[in-house]
Amino acid sequence: AQSVTQPDIHITVSEGASLELRCNYSYGATPYLFWYVQSPGQGLQLLLKYFSGDTLVQGIKGFEAEFKRSQSSFNLRKPSVHWSDAAEYFCAVGPPGDYKLSFGAGTTVTVRA
Amino acid sequence: NAGVTQTPKFRVLKTGQSMTLLCAQDMNHEYMYWYRQDPGMGLRLIHYSVGEGTTAKGEVPDGYNVSRLKKQNFLLGLESAAPSQTSVYFCASSYTERITDTQYFGPGTRLTVL
């Protein structure tokens, strides 16, 4: 069975600084990988996804993620955060050919002025 | 186009009470899902539906029932609420079952069982 670990429960970052959120997965083969964001009072919104091909994936809101097979990681990055990026971020994995997503516990990002 | 909506947004129940959470989507999606979100555990799938009139169990189905009488609606029922069901409940929908299809989420229902 697949599983997802997000090692950082909470990250505080200054506005304009870079952000990196870690995600490690456990799965027998290469899964499909996703990052979702949950803004306060909102549902989850898909930021980006990786299925195959180029290991650097671009998403919405200026986010990108890099798949590293050797490290079983799919870390999310943003070069310069905005106050509106304060939210909870979830990494998720799913086996190809299935629909079931397994979510990590989430990382809460606080942005300070 | 409202996407996925959930009713109610908040609810407090006493142990043993029952309630129904409503999820509605206007995207003509076949697949609908109910998740619960607990601190430190991420989202876990409770039940899902592959089309009108069909439902199936997910990862944590005990204590919940669901119905999909209309394609656009997916109801989650708690027959006898327990404190362990205190959680935030999210509904989602997708066009097909393929994992490559984006799941669209509602804003959530925060349920507290006393």
Side-chain angles (χ1 to χ4, degrees), chain A residues 99, chain B residues 30-32 48-52 54-56 68 97:
Chain A
Y99 60 88
Chain B
E30 289 292 337
Y31 283 70
M32 297 186 75
Y48 62 98
S49 169
V50 303
E52 183 177 322
T54 66
T55 63
R68 183 101 179 266
E97 81 284 7

Side-chain angles (χ1 to χ4, degrees), chain A residues 32 34 36 38 41-44 46 49 51 88 90 93-101 103-106, chain B residues 31 33 35 37 40-45 48 57 88 90 97-108:
Chain A
Y32 290 168
F34 307 80
Y36 281 85
Q38 182 184 12
Q42 305 293 317
L44 278 72
L46 182 67
K49 55 191 176 185
F51 299 149
E88 190 161 17
F90 293 94
V93 303
D98 202 342
Y99 60 88
K100 296 176 183 175
L101 291 174
F103 286 84
Chain B
Y31 283 70
Y33 315 84
Y35 292 90
Q37 180 188 22
M41 300 190 72
L43 277 72
R44 293 180 291 167
L45 184 64
Y48 62 98
K57 295 179 179 180
V88 180
F90 286 100
E97 81 284 7
R98 292 191 297 269
I99 202 165
T100 50
D101 279 347
T102 299
Q103 288 189 22
Y104 293 86
F105 285 80

Side-chain angles (χ1 to χ4, degrees), chain A residues 8 12 14 52 57 60 64 89 95 97:
Chain A
D8 304 305
T12 299
S14 298
S52 65
V57 181
I60 62 172
E64 66 179 24
Y89 293 80

Side-chain angles (χ1 to χ4, degrees), chain B residues 35-96:
Chain B
Y35 292 90
R36 60 178 289 172
Q37 180 188 22
D38 301 297
M41 300 190 72
L43 277 72
R44 293 180 291 167
L45 184 64
I46 305 171
H47 284 279
Y48 62 98
S49 169
V50 303
E52 183 177 322
T54 66
T55 63
K57 295 179 179 180
E59 183 184 354
V60 287
D62 294 342
Y64 305 95
N65 57 76
V66 288
S67 64
R68 183 101 179 266
L69 298 179
K70 294 182 178 181
K71 185 177 183 178
Q72 63 268 33
N73 295 338
F74 194 28
L75 278 64
L76 178 70
L78 286 74
E79 291 183 346
S80 179
S84 61
Q85 295 177 304
T86 293
S87 188
V88 180
Y89 292 86
F90 286 100
C91 176
S93 70
S94 61
Y95 187 61
T96 74

